[in-house]
Amino acid sequence: MQWFEFDTPADAAAALAEAVSGALATAIRERGEAVLAVSGGRSPVAFLQRLAESGLDWAHVTVTLVDERLVPEHHPDSNAALVREHLLTGAAAAARFLPLALHPDDAAASLAAARAAWRQPDVAVLGMGDDGHTASLFPAAPELAAGLALPSAERLLTVTPPAASHTRLSMTLAALLACGRLFLAIQGPAKRRVFEQARQAVDDALPISHVLHHTEVPLDVYWAS
Ligand SMILES: O=C1O[C@H](COP(=O)(O)O)[C@@H](O)[C@H](O)[C@H]1O
């Protein structure tokens, strides 16, 4: 794991965009295409905007989501809307986009459609909640054990978070660990404390700890104070 520290969220976003762009360009050189999975929430906006301006060969990039809330795209909590607004603009509009909540009123139909369209990402950019969740692998969710199971052929599952809004679709830990590169972007002292606690030991109460303790996939952590 590599740790990168920045004075401002803007500096972290710029550096993360450069690193992710480089990883995707490598995949395009090696395989002719690249698949990127990004997180939602409020933190990734500046990163997505900087990545959109990165000069990548977007026609050879597929963008998907690490997780999604089962809401229509006009809902303010839609991660797909966030990606469309802040990443798939200008030259980056040439990327192919695979949203996850294709049937927002029907979790099973959304999961089936997302599984059918599934592409294994080369690169995933994770966030982390104050409760230690990553993707939508929430502590105490009834589906958490299935989401953390290894080995597992499941790449996506539905999650009903006990203490957060909306049923979700989420990549599983097995899917995250099948990525060629992982990035984790976190901001502020509170999230740093959660991160440091999760580094101590694997603990289902902090699902991010499972990612931090599987060292076979290169993980770069971008933290802004
Ligand atoms: O619910 C979610 O939260 C996490 C963290 O979001 P943030 O707003 O605290 O940055 C995010 O990584 C995840 O994709 C999202 O669905």
Side-chain angles (χ1 to χ4, degrees):
M1 187 178 77
Q2 289 204 83
W3 173 266
F4 299 90
E5 194 166 317
F6 300 87
D7 290 338
T8 69
D11 290 343
L16 178 61
E18 193 178 334
V20 169
S21 171
L24 295 173
T26 300
I28 293 171
R29 261 197 316 277
E30 291 175 352
R31 297 196 303 109
E33 63 164 341
V35 182
L36 167 67
V38 294
S39 293
R42 290 300 101 197
S43 314
V45 170
F47 155 69
L48 295 174
Q49 292 171 341
R50 294 300 294 252
L51 186 62
E53 297 163 356
S54 66
L56 262 174
D57 179 2
W58 287 102
H60 292 96
V61 177
T62 297
V63 177
T64 190
L65 295 162
V66 164
D67 70 325
E68 178 60 293
R69 297 95 187 262
L70 274 180
V71 295
E73 281 202 22
H74 57 73
H75 193 287
D77 292 343
S78 165
N79 288 342
L82 184 87
V83 166
R84 287 194 200 277
E85 182 179 352
H86 298 291
L87 177 60
L88 303 176
T89 61
R96 180 179 177 217
F97 183 44
L98 298 178
L100 298 181
L102 292 166
H103 306 280
D105 295 329
D106 187 336
S110 280
L111 181 62
R115 281 179 172 158
W118 168 254
R119 302 283 314 282
Q120 176 61 49
D122 299 285
V123 176
V125 183
L126 301 173
M128 184 192 78
D130 293 332
D131 59 357
H133 83 264
T134 193
S136 279
L137 301 172
F138 280 85
E143 306 85 355
L144 183 65
L148 295 175
L150 291 176
S152 172
E154 296 296 354
R155 294 304 187 239
L156 293 165
L157 81 171
T158 52
V159 178
T160 45
S165 55
H166 312 301
T167 299
R168 316 286 183 106
L169 258 63
S170 179
M171 283 174 62
T172 61
L173 180 65
L176 296 176
L177 297 179
C179 296
R181 294 278 300 272
L182 291 175
F183 294 87
L184 171 63
I186 48 176
Q187 287 174 23
K191 285 195 181 181
R192 184 166 185 165
R193 281 193 293 277
V194 175
F195 173 85
E196 295 299 346
Q197 195 185 336
R199 276 185 79 175
Q200 302 303 311
V202 175
D203 180 354
D204 286 0
L206 298 173
I208 186 67
S209 65
H210 286 265
V211 176
L212 304 184
H213 289 267
H214 280 280
T215 52
E216 62 270 30
V217 189
L219 170 67
D220 293 345
V221 184
Y222 283 65
W223 180 75
S225 53

